[in-house]
């Protein structure tokens, strides 16, 4: 069996490490307490820049291998200069990324080899809400629709079950479909 | 008054265009119906790439001036290769960006000149949820805390009111603190 050496690698996921991580957290649940962070600096108008680098997890302060920076802006039709996506588009990206990551992990854990996974996420929003023109209209998305195309060495039904389990264990799906409390503090000096 | 020509530009926001846009939408509320979109392609393991380009708004299909692409991944400690931020970090970035854009617009509309706006957003998450190790733990953030530092030519109380109004009209704040329905369809061929 020439494939033995890399038998634990499936879909680019090291399943041996994945299962070892799960076992380690079972024995020390506190290791799973994470704090993620983003910083932001206003540039001009609706243009601003976010930085993602430091986080806390598995008991200590950590840094990503790179400093990630992302510009956000509004397009001209929304009185911006289109230097980056709108903030609400980053939410759609986060949702697709979260479901896709989970899908790859779950397929690997279940012994399914994926060949391709693509998705589109669309969010409908009525900007009469954020513009303050209609108090009956909410500020955020009315609804979001995700469409996955998943291919791999398993029957369609099994591929669908893997997507369903990814939804069941998705952090971003939970954040959007349920409620997360947010506090905002302001310093002015 | 030498400043007359650019009097409508404040904080990089063209307030004349902003107010004209508000008036236009008042007269044609359907113009405010937008659909934002993100596409995603799985690369390997938890690494995937999102693309943001097309959207619908003000009655027609539109494209951003650039094709925006963003990689997402998990760090090594979460069995990934750290090719990008985690999906949940993009959510924090989206929140900071949305509140900051709103703040600049609202300050401009209220005649306040900002000199600097920075913020940090932190989200606490217990990964026993997404790892499926404790059914009592939710998948998403337990709580998110935002800290703004805002400087400008207005008293502290007025700057705080502007942040408060930005929260009141923030799409991403609404999406996270309230509930948005998500549907997921799966094609396998």
């Amino acid at each position: 069996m020439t494939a033995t050496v890399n038998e634990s690698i499936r879909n680019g996921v090291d399943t041996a490490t994945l299962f070892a991580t799960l076992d380690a957290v079972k024995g020390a649940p506190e290791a799973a307490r994470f704090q993620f962070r983003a910083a932001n600096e206003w540039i001009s108008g609706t243009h601003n820049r976010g930085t993602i680098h430091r986080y806390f997890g598995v008991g200590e302060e950590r840094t990503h291998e790179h400093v990630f920076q992302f510009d956000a802006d509004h397009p001209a039709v929304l009185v911006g200069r289109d230097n980056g996506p709108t903030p609400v588009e980053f939410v759609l990206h986060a949702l697709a990324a979260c479901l896709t990551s989970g899908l790859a992990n779950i397929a690997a854990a279940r012994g399914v080899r994926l060949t391709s996974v693509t998705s589109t996420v669309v969010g409908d929003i009525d900007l009469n809400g954020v513009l303050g023109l209609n108090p009956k209209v909410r500020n955020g998305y009315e609804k979001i629709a995700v469409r996955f195309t998943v291919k791999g060495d398993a029957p369609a039904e099994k591929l669908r079950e893997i997507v369903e389990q990814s939804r069941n264990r998705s952090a971003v799906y939970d954040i959007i479909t349920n409620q997360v409390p947010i506090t905002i503090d302001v310093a002015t000096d």
Side-chain angles (χ1 to χ4, degrees), chain A:
Chain A
M1 299 264 306
T2 54
T4 309
V5 172
N6 287 322
E7 206 166 72
S8 84
I9 309 283
R10 204 154 32 231
N11 305 328
V13 176
D14 185 337
T15 56
T17 302
L18 182 62
F19 291 130
T21 301
L22 284 166
D23 281 341
V25 176
K26 270 181 208 166
E30 278 298 307
R33 294 214 145 267
F34 275 63
Q35 182 179 77
F36 289 111
R37 302 163 190 160
N40 189 282
E41 183 169 15
W42 173 61
I43 296 172
S44 178
T46 50
H47 182 202
N48 55 76
R49 182 167 296 147
T51 301
I52 295 169
H53 190 221
R54 299 179 64 82
Y55 63 101
F56 177 91
V58 199
E60 60 188 66
E61 287 292 319
R62 295 171 183 277
T63 53
H64 285 291
E65 287 180 28
H66 304 279
V67 177
F68 301 115
Q69 291 199 306
F70 306 103
D71 285 24
D73 200 352
H74 290 183
V77 71
L78 295 173
V79 202
R81 290 187 179 81
D82 216 8
N83 289 294
T86 60
V88 288
E89 288 170 304
F90 278 109
V91 172
L92 303 182
H93 164 61
L95 176 61
C98 192
L99 291 167
T100 301
S101 298
L103 208 157
N105 273 340
I106 293 161
R110 294 185 179 186
V112 172
R113 286 185 197 277
L114 299 170
T115 48
S116 82
V117 180
T118 57
S119 58
T120 57
V121 184
V122 305
D124 292 315
I125 191 166
D126 181 347
L127 298 182
N128 282 292
V130 297
L131 295 173
L133 296 176
N134 186 341
K136 291 179 189 160
V137 175
R138 72 179 294 176
N139 294 322
Y141 286 120
E142 297 160 17
K143 61 181 192 292
I144 293 172
V146 184
R147 172 165 277 276
F148 268 103
T149 301
V150 182
K151 296 178 188 177
D153 69 355
E157 197 46 43
K158 187 155 189 175
L159 295 174
R160 287 174 198 281
E161 285 168 11
I162 289 167
V163 175
E164 180 57 24
Q165 182 60 11
S166 177
R167 174 216 297 252
N168 291 340
R169 294 266 70 90
S170 167
V172 178
Y173 182 88
D174 175 28
I175 291 165
I176 297 173
T177 57
N178 294 303
Q179 299 177 296
V180 180
I182 300 177
T183 58
I184 302 180
D185 287 327
V186 185
T188 56
D189 50 15

